Amino acid sequence: LFLTNERHHLRVAVDAPQHSGLSGCLDYSSAQALEPGTLVSVPFGQRQVCGIVWRGEPQELGDIAIKPVSQVLYVLPALSERWCKLAQFAASYYQRSLGEMALSVLPPELRKLDNSQLENRLVRLHKNLAPLEVSTPITPPELNLEQATIVAQLDTLNITGTSSVVLLHGLTGSGKTEVYLRAAEQALAKGQQVLVLVPEINLTPQLEARFMERFSGGSTPRRIVSLHSGLSPAQRLKNWLTAHLGLADLVLGTRLAVFASMPRLGLIVVDEEHDPSYKQQEGARYSARDLAVYRGKLESACVLLGSATPSLESWHRANESRYVRLTLPTRVGGGALPKVRLIDMGVLPKVKGGDTSLTPPLVAALAQRIERSEQSLIFLNRRGYSPVLHCMACTWKSGCPYCSAWRVFHKLDRTLRCHHCGFAQPVPRACPDCGNPDIAAIGQGTERLEELLSAALPGARIARIDADSTQKKGALETQLASVHSGEVDILVGTQMVTKGHDFRRMTLVAAVNPDGALFSSDFRAPERLFAMLMQAAGRAGRSAEQAERSEMWIQTWFPKHPLYAALCEHDYNAFAASQLNERKIAGLPPFTHLGLLRAEAKTADAARAFLQTAAEILSQFPGADQLLVYPAVPTAVARVANIERMQMLIEGSSRVVLQRVLTSWMASLPALRRQHKGILRWALDVDPLAI
Ligand code: ADP
Ligand code: ZN
Ligand code: ZN
């Protein structure tokens, strides 16, 4: 062994919170030179923390003593340079500190372990690794002409070796997943790893089952792991390590899996790419879909974005030929989309008591389905019994004392519950203001709809699926299974039921009260509504013999609205064209780019003052004249748990200019916050989804 006194200076990314003002890496010393991407343990304040050796020149610190690295996690291969670049990009694009970004996306368990603990984990991992067993290969379905054409095109794109982004547009049931499977097969055959992203945890088992069936056996069996927040910390670490060590060929997961370390990544699939769940809503507010596209470029990997209703951002890029658009125009096996019927609420006779959701024609249609042993789905995006209770004598309504929102009446346990802060109380026997015992419910939630249905259709087997009915672990699976096995005639639910589930016997889907989103202050509300209704429609008519008589009903007060007209024709293209035209005229994304600064304080004035001063600071940075800063306004639900929330939108036509200004701005906000004592929390959201 050759010993010298020479010390190597290193940059190390550590998780310093954004508000600490430390944005990048810290300097440490080490006896050996360390490859960038190596995990280390370093002293940080009074603690030992996990860090990642980062590329870059250490700062000139003169005589200041640099602390040595405490431990090098040499048992693990370093994170790749491409992985580091992804983390670096995500940090700078979403305006977070590099260390926070890079470390927060590692499995939390990994950050706690030292060399010997990690070594133990690795030994156990290798020992318990399920062996790959060769078996008789299953025969995949023969591709239809459209699928075959697309798979051939993907192969050509892949052979040219340039990374490309493909937007796969196809209805529910048009065979997109089969295309993913074939694309994966091509990549796997080349020895590459495949990453598949899905929007929600409860969709992972279904997709995992299809990938397992196709790839876990055969002549070259593959290893498949999942990554999502529902795994235990130990399981998540194990799966992450399996991917990092290159032992897993396929990684399936939710948005956090976009950061999985995969040394041979060759294909990224983003299923339901339009889904808002791809955007992280706290901490580093990244979009996994957008990062997947960036990662594809870094890794020279093909990115496959699939949806029946692509996000307008992706659609616009395809229009500009930045993405390759491939279309699957028909449902496999001849299943047609259900016929859409608009039920004009304006011409129906008024019902006493205002119970308008369950209209007589709908009851008749449901009865008919039951007679034919078919199933129906009723979709209402509001859980609970009734969104508000009110007194018939005075003006009392069931407001939340801590939020600017109504408390929802839940009849099952007779509580008034706030869906924003969780505050719950037993329902009062009489009006708390005037003592009048006559308290009435206004409006409907899923719970009440379920009750009305039982009354209108005695003997009907009704199930309800929403956040309340699925709280217990496994409840959702049990309920879905009973729908699949035919034990349910009518399924009532929130948007939870519209995603991904393939109900074979469903011939009627009804949206009973979808109008709200047409007039929302959020410019994306129509896009979300259209996607949701298309997705709901996709639940019906999945088998050819039922397609004929399948229907989707929309009960609306605005039957002439262009959104519903496009829906009747199942015409996403027309809807997208008209929305993009509106966005262009209004100067909204994807034609402009947005940042949103949010502030929370005890009073609205304190929050506003912070945002206004922040706006003044912003105006002084070069490039600010090319941005539009909107006045600070309260958020949609302005007060939650007695905290006032305000937001301020910043808009720019150049992403580069917006980015540059935001970066300078972010550096000055921690100091500003210290001057504004009343501010409890603040955050910047780049490319915000909900406004
Ligand atoms: P999507 O992902 O667009 O909803 P899927 O790929 O799940 O569509 O296909 C819908 C159904 O049709 C699935 O049951 C699938 O197994 C089947 N399928 C897909 N492609 C074919 C094909 N070429 N031949 C026969 N069945 C197919
Ligand atoms: Zn009263
Ligand atoms: Zn509340």
Side-chain angles (χ1 to χ4, degrees), residues 340 564-572:
V340 177
Y564 294 141
L567 190 76
C568 285
E569 302 294 319
H570 303 295
D571 194 347
Y572 169 81

Side-chain angles (χ1 to χ4, degrees), residues 91-134:
S92 77
Y93 188 82
Y94 294 104
Q95 306 292 340
R96 309 297 293 194
S97 84
L98 170 64
E100 180 204 10
M101 192 78 226
L103 285 138
S104 70
V105 299
L106 293 179
E109 193 80 350
L110 179 65
R111 301 166 56 177
K112 296 183 195 150
L113 303 183
D114 65 21
N115 261 319
S116 66
Q117 292 166 317
L118 196 55
E119 203 154 15
N120 284 340
R121 296 291 178 108
L122 289 174
V123 169
R124 245 188 297 157
L125 185 148
H126 282 281
K127 208 172 77 187
N128 298 336
L129 212 54
L132 295 172
E133 281 172 24
V134 173

Side-chain angles (χ1 to χ4, degrees), residues 417-433:
R417 256 189 265 161
C418 174
H419 289 182
H420 297 278
C421 72
F423 178 63
Q425 271 184 327
V427 172
R429 285 177 198 289
C431 169
D433 283 2

Side-chain angles (χ1 to χ4, degrees), residues 35-37 54-55 78-87 298:
E35 186 188 351
W54 217 257
R55 187 172 295 280
L79 293 156
S80 71
E81 185 178 354
R82 298 180 305 275
W83 189 94
C84 294
K85 280 186 173 160
L86 176 69
L298 280 176

Side-chain angles (χ1 to χ4, degrees), residues 491-503:
L491 176 60
V492 179
T494 55
Q495 65 169 32
M496 270 178 93
V497 297
T498 65
K499 290 191 186 183
H501 309 289
D502 186 352
F503 300 124

Side-chain angles (χ1 to χ4, degrees), residues 141-144 147 171-178 210 332:
E142 196 164 324
L143 296 181
N144 62 31
Q147 288 172 317
L171 298 169
T172 313
S174 61
K176 292 186 298 297
T177 309
E178 185 59 40
R210 283 184 78 175
V332 175

Side-chain angles (χ1 to χ4, degrees), residues 18 85-98 101 259 279 284-291 294 313 317 524 589-590 592-596 652 654-660 662-663 666 684-688:
Q18 180 190 30
K85 280 186 173 160
L86 176 69
Q88 180 120 33
F89 170 78
S92 77
Y93 188 82
Y94 294 104
Q95 306 292 340
R96 309 297 293 194
S97 84
L98 170 64
M101 192 78 226
F259 289 102
K279 179 92 163 109
R285 289 156 201 257
Y286 62 84
S287 155
R289 191 240 355 259
D290 295 348
L291 287 179
Y294 188 84
E313 281 77 5
R317 287 185 188 176
R524 281 198 180 86
T592 54
H593 307 283
L594 299 177
L596 187 70
S654 156
R655 203 191 276 279
V656 177
V657 173
L658 178 66
Q659 278 294 310
R660 188 161 4 101
L662 290 182
T663 304
M666 277 304 276
L684 178 68
D685 192 346
V686 178
D687 300 339

